[in-house]
Amino acid sequence: MSLRGLPADALAWLGRRGTSALPLRPIIGIALPSLGALLKPLVATAVFLLLVLAFLRVDLAALRSHARRPMIVIAIAVWTMVALPACLCWGYHLLGIDVRSADLMLALVLQAATSPMMSSPAIAAMLGLDAALVLLGMVVCTAVVSFSAPVFVRIFAGDVVPIAPSVLGLKLFAILLGSAVTALIIRKLAGQDRIAHYTDHIDGCSVILMFIFIVAVTGGVGTVLVSDPLTVLGLIVLAFVLTFLLSGSTMIVFIRLGRRQAASLGLMASQRNMGLMLGAAGAVLPDLVWLYLGLAQLPIYTLPQLMKPLLRRFLRGTDAAAV
């Protein structure tokens, strides 16, 4: 084996096995706050490059397959990006969270208003769910987030948000358009066959970038955990409850599509792309927003592994062999 081949082989190995280490990444960030502080300035760059790689890996054939049912596509987008965020944000307002803690309200609004994570199709595939349907939902929701998110921020957190909602929308649009165009250029230059050949290497790069992002956003958690453990514990419980709420309500809404499809969309709805919001506005967000969005990574990366036995039971009688 040549020295030149060693890094490439290591990258491919990492791409094939990176998803199995999902729960460890936020734990590493919490345990090594100095590493998180070192990587924090790289969050916006890591988010942009993750989006480029995710767009590069989009399965166009799978998208076309599901896109033949436009009403389902519209229903997914309306529920995930309009109805669900509206219900959550009104609920937060009725509970008085905006009065008790404006910074926490901002964090919760940003979480509710953002689109699903770009890695959610890969996690769905790992769990044996309908990754193509998740991919379609993720792409459609990502296409509208730069228009819908500023509306929710203006209505529910406009008094405290440190960035104008219109500026947030423009930054989101620039990040998404820039990453999509970059991926398109790479796809044209490299060719689909070469991209397919280097799938594991692309996934390996994504694993490294995801590690940078997660460690950076969870880096400040350890310090607060020592100084104010009750706040950290409360935010962790809140993050887990909201993840279950997002997933469970979505599964109920889409259960008529079938259990596997409902579970797939439930996963997608609960995997909110908070990194996109940090990439667009992270430098000016209050510390509490960073803290909550960092803690919210815990359910995102631990529950897929922990929920496997429940998924097997829920999908019993369907094609759940891969779960």
Side-chain angles (χ1 to χ4, degrees):
M1 182 184 296
S2 67
L3 287 176
R4 184 179 178 184
L6 279 171
D9 291 340
L11 200 61
W13 179 88
L14 192 62
R16 289 191 294 269
R17 292 167 175 80
T19 52
S20 61
L22 283 176
L24 294 177
R25 296 170 197 173
I27 296 173
I28 293 173
I30 294 172
L32 300 173
S34 58
L35 180 59
L38 183 66
L39 296 177
K40 192 172 180 178
L42 300 177
V43 165
T45 302
V47 168
F48 179 82
L49 293 176
L50 276 169
L51 289 169
V52 171
L53 295 180
F55 279 124
L56 203 60
R57 291 277 281 111
V58 165
D59 186 340
L60 298 178
L63 279 180
R64 285 192 291 267
S65 159
H66 277 292
R68 295 191 185 103
R69 299 186 291 175
M71 293 309 297
I72 292 178
V73 176
I74 293 171
I76 292 171
V78 170
W79 169 255
T80 307
M81 301 305 298
V82 180
L84 196 53
C87 291
L88 286 173
C89 292
W90 274 114
Y92 301 148
H93 174 70
L94 293 174
L95 290 172
I97 294 176
D98 50 344
V99 176
R100 295 188 183 95
S101 175
D103 288 351
L104 178 58
M105 182 67 176
L106 174 59
L108 293 174
V109 171
L110 290 176
Q111 179 189 28
T114 192
S115 55
M117 286 173 48
M118 302 295 281
S119 60
S120 54
I123 296 175
M126 178 186 73
L127 296 173
L129 298 174
D130 191 339
L133 181 61
V134 173
L135 174 64
L136 178 65
M138 179 273 294
V139 170
V140 173
C141 293
T142 301
V144 303
V145 67
S146 58
F147 304 100
S148 61
V151 175
F152 286 105
V153 171
R154 180 180 295 278
I155 293 173
F156 293 101
D159 294 337
V160 296
V161 67
I163 181 173
S166 57
V167 175
L168 176 63
L170 287 173
K171 286 191 172 185
L172 288 172
F173 183 77
I175 291 172
L176 292 169
L177 180 63
S179 58
V181 170
T182 303
L184 180 62
I185 292 172
I186 294 173
R187 190 188 292 272
K188 290 289 185 182
L189 293 175
Q192 188 58 44
D193 291 340
R194 185 173 295 178
I195 290 173
H197 179 72
Y198 287 103
T199 292
D200 290 337
H201 300 78
I202 294 171
D203 289 344
C205 292
S206 295
V207 169
I208 294 172
L209 291 168
M210 198 178 299
F211 175 81
I212 292 172
F213 167 74
I214 296 170
V215 171
V217 299
T218 56
V221 172
T223 304
V224 182
L225 181 60
V226 173
S227 62
D228 194 356
L230 290 180
T231 295
V232 172
L233 180 60
L235 292 177
I236 290 174
V237 171
L238 177 61
F240 272 88
V241 169
L242 287 176
T243 299
F244 281 115
L245 180 62
L246 288 164
S247 180
S249 60
T250 302
M251 288 171 66
I252 292 171
V253 168
F254 290 100
I255 193 65
R256 292 183 62 183
L257 294 180
R259 290 194 175 193
R260 185 166 177 261
Q261 287 70 28
S264 302
L265 294 174
L267 171 76
M268 183 201 75
S270 67
Q271 303 259 307
R272 312 302 279 195
N273 193 354
M274 289 166 278
L276 184 58
M277 294 299 183
L278 289 175
V284 297
L285 292 175
D287 290 341
L288 183 61
V289 176
W290 276 89
L291 176 63
Y292 175 74
L293 297 186
L295 292 171
Q297 306 305 307
L298 291 172
I300 287 176
Y301 292 104
T302 58
L303 285 179
Q305 291 287 353
L306 298 176
M307 294 294 288
K308 278 187 174 183
L310 290 177
L311 269 177
R312 287 195 190 98
R313 186 171 300 178
F314 180 74
L315 299 178
R316 190 168 293 162
T318 65
D319 51 340
V323 178

